[in-house]
Amino acid sequence: MDDLFSSFIPGESLLHRLDPRTKILGLMLASICILEASSFEGMSLITLVFIVLLMACKLPLMHFTQSVRPMILFFVILFLMQLFFTEGTPIFQFEWITASYEGLILGTILTLRFIFLLLFAALLTATTSPSKITAGIERLLRPLPLKYIGITSHDLAMMMSLSIYFVPMFYDNFRTLRDAQLSRGLDIKKEPIKAILSISVPLISISVRAVEEVALAMESRCYVGMGRTSMHVMELKSSDYLSLFLYGVLFVFCIVL
């Protein structure tokens, strides 16, 4: 949880200096390229792009592998499902389960897709502070006619900021309540129903109280969603336009491959 929401590392690299809108749009284009890649040639190109970005951000590779580590079990299950349940040329057979060559190829590519999606997302969160990500999304959504459905881009940005704040707090409260119940002798394995009730009820109560406090604080400060200024002054520079152009070239190459 801490890796997901506190992964920003301050720095002065090229990626750190880029406008957050550029990095968000780049992540969107890179995600499309990753999902469109269906061959090892396309995956090789994406790997090369990630290595270049990793060198540009000047951060250790270990920092990004931490974002993949919690999903290792999911990747293994995904790969095995494709390996054993895809029809094709058999590689080996274990009792009634047969591994196919087509399943090996499909499982490898599909697993690499999810890994690179996480790695490119980790590049964004590691080089951009949460407040800048929120401000960048707000600026990207500002031209949309959201007012016709009763919301504004400022409202969406505020909801994102509150989510970034509340999710780690919710997790910390859960760990505190769990440790408190364990110290009182609660056995989660033997009494799962009792454990769920003893943790979930106070957790919901604490969360609702925290939401009410934040709402009262916003109302007391006369919060208004329209016409608000931002602490981050955004301006696209030549490096941003060049980065968007290179992402566009990558997108075209991935479509061709």
Side-chain angles (χ1 to χ4, degrees), residues 32-143:
I32 295 175
C33 294
I34 293 171
L35 295 175
E36 287 290 332
S38 58
S39 63
F40 287 108
E41 290 81 4
M43 285 299 171
S44 300
L45 178 60
I46 292 172
T47 303
L48 178 62
V49 172
F50 176 76
I51 293 174
V52 172
L53 294 177
L54 182 63
M55 296 174 62
C57 72
K58 298 180 180 180
L59 295 177
L61 178 61
M62 185 62 65
H63 176 78
F64 300 99
T65 57
Q66 292 177 355
S67 62
V68 179
R69 186 174 55 187
M71 302 293 293
I72 289 179
L73 179 61
F74 168 76
F75 295 146
V76 172
I77 295 175
L78 179 66
F79 175 78
L80 293 179
M81 288 182 62
Q82 300 300 324
L83 177 64
F84 292 110
F85 294 98
T86 300
E87 297 182 356
T89 306
I91 301 177
F92 65 88
Q93 185 173 359
F94 180 75
E95 295 184 356
W96 55 274
I97 299 179
T98 302
S100 64
Y101 176 78
E102 289 76 8
L104 176 63
I105 301 298
L106 181 59
T108 303
I109 292 177
L110 193 58
T111 304
L112 288 176
R113 283 179 181 175
F114 281 96
I115 291 176
F116 277 114
L117 285 174
L118 288 176
L119 290 176
F120 275 87
L123 275 174
L124 173 64
T125 57
T127 59
T128 314
S129 64
S131 59
K132 285 187 177 182
I133 294 177
T134 302
I137 293 177
E138 187 274 325
R139 291 293 298 272
L140 289 174
L141 295 177
R142 189 177 295 180

Side-chain angles (χ1 to χ4, degrees), residues 227-240:
R228 296 182 61 83
T229 58
S230 175
M231 63 179 293
H232 300 292
V233 179
M234 299 184 185
E235 181 181 359
L236 294 177
K237 301 178 181 179
S238 57
S239 57
D240 295 294

